[in-house]
């Protein structure tokens, strides 16, 4: 164990609260800092002003390290390569109404708290989209994982595992593997299927909802789906 790991272990063992709580507090403090930058930083305010003057935007929300250069606007909480502006994507999206022709959200929505964060996020996606603009969402497909859970042995789960790992060597039982997908420790808020997706999208104002396959659909310029999720993602395009 390195010195850094020893220090980290000592700190967590002596905190007055759990690591679970610490991670949430750290995330929220970081998010508060970024929201403050949006209000007071001249650099951020100038970037936001430029964004609000743009039209026909291709937007990648919660992009992580997978933001694309050139024609894309990539927003994420963390200062990662190709991120145009650090943004708390759970809050107000810093773009004008009807300014986006396409919004891509891949493996981010399952991280949103379903009562307060998720409805507002989808309303914001609807707001920034142009008429006939497309919101493309990819989340883990709960149906695939549940069907694999009820199959014999681990073969079907391993076929859709992340990175095609042998989950029988990582988890003590199949339910632990499912909990990893649906909860991911404490970072995910449950599973997704077509029924749940239909409900939240219609509530946000999307009436045209189309389920597609990896790399297929009507997204402007073509989908930018990541190969890593091809075998286990639920792919949906919602049109404003």
């Amino acid at each position: 164990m390195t010195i850094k790991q020893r220090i980290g272990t000592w700190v967590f063992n002596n905190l007055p609260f759990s690591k679970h709580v610490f991670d949430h507090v750290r995330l929220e403090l970081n998010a508060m800092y970024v929201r403050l930058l949006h209000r007071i930083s001249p650099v951020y305010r100038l970037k936001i002003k430029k964004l609000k003057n743009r039209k026909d935007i291709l937007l990648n929300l919660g992009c992580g390290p997978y933001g694309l250069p050139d024609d894309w606007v990539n927003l994420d909480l963390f200062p990662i390569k190709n991120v145009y502006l650090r943004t708390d994507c759970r809050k107000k999206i810093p773009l004008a109404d009807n300014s986006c022709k396409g919004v891509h959200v891949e493996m981010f929505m399952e991280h949103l708290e379903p009562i307060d964060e998720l409805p507002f996020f989808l309303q914001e996606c609807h707001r920034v989209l142009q008429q006939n603009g497309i919101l493309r969402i990819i989340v883990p497909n709960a149906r695939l994982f549940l069907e694999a859970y009820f199959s014999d042995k681990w073969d079907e789960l391993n076929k859709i595992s992340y990175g095609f790992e042998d989950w029988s060597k990582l988890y003590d039982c199949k339910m632990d593997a499912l909990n990893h997908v649906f909860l991911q420790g404490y970072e995910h808020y449950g599973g997704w299927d077509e029924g749940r997706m239909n409900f939240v999208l219609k509530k946000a104002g999307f009436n045209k909802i189309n389920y597609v396959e990896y790399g297929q659909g009507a997204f402007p310029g073509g989908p930018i789906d990541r190969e890593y999720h091809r075998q286990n993602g639920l792919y949906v395009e919602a049109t404003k």
Side-chain angles (χ1 to χ4, degrees), residues 66-86:
Y66 306 102
L68 297 178
D70 303 325
D71 297 332
W72 282 84
V73 171
N74 308 292
L75 301 180
D76 195 272
L77 186 63
F78 300 100
I80 309 169
K81 182 180 178 181
N82 291 331
V83 169
Y84 176 79
L85 186 73
R86 292 182 67 185

Side-chain angles (χ1 to χ4, degrees), residues 123-231:
Q123 289 165 14
E124 279 291 278
C125 290
H126 189 275
R127 177 185 66 82
V128 301
L129 276 170
Q130 301 169 355
Q131 196 63 36
N132 297 317
I134 294 176
L135 168 64
R136 187 175 178 92
I137 297 169
I138 300 102
V139 291
N141 190 334
R143 184 184 184 92
L144 293 178
F145 286 102
L146 289 171
E147 288 176 347
Y149 169 82
F150 284 108
S151 67
D152 293 336
K153 301 182 179 179
W154 286 82
D155 294 349
E156 295 305 312
L157 268 176
N158 289 338
K159 287 179 183 178
I160 60 172
S161 68
Y162 299 118
F164 298 104
E165 295 176 308
D166 184 350
W167 277 0
S168 67
K169 296 179 180 178
L170 296 177
Y171 302 105
D172 295 330
C173 61
K174 287 184 179 182
M175 185 55 67
D176 282 347
L178 258 62
N179 284 334
H180 168 70
V181 176
F182 297 154
L183 302 177
Q184 196 166 302
Y186 38 78
E187 293 185 15
H188 289 183
Y189 288 89
W192 283 94
D193 64 359
E194 292 186 10
R196 185 185 182 198
M197 186 67 71
N198 287 340
F199 177 79
V200 298
L201 287 174
K202 289 178 179 178
K203 192 173 181 180
F206 293 95
N207 293 313
K208 185 178 178 182
I209 301 169
N210 186 33
Y211 291 90
V212 295
E213 299 295 329
Y214 167 87
Q216 299 179 11
F219 194 84
I224 58 167
D225 310 336
R226 303 203 298 271
E227 176 75 24
Y228 188 72
H229 303 124
R230 181 174 190 164
Q231 73 277 9

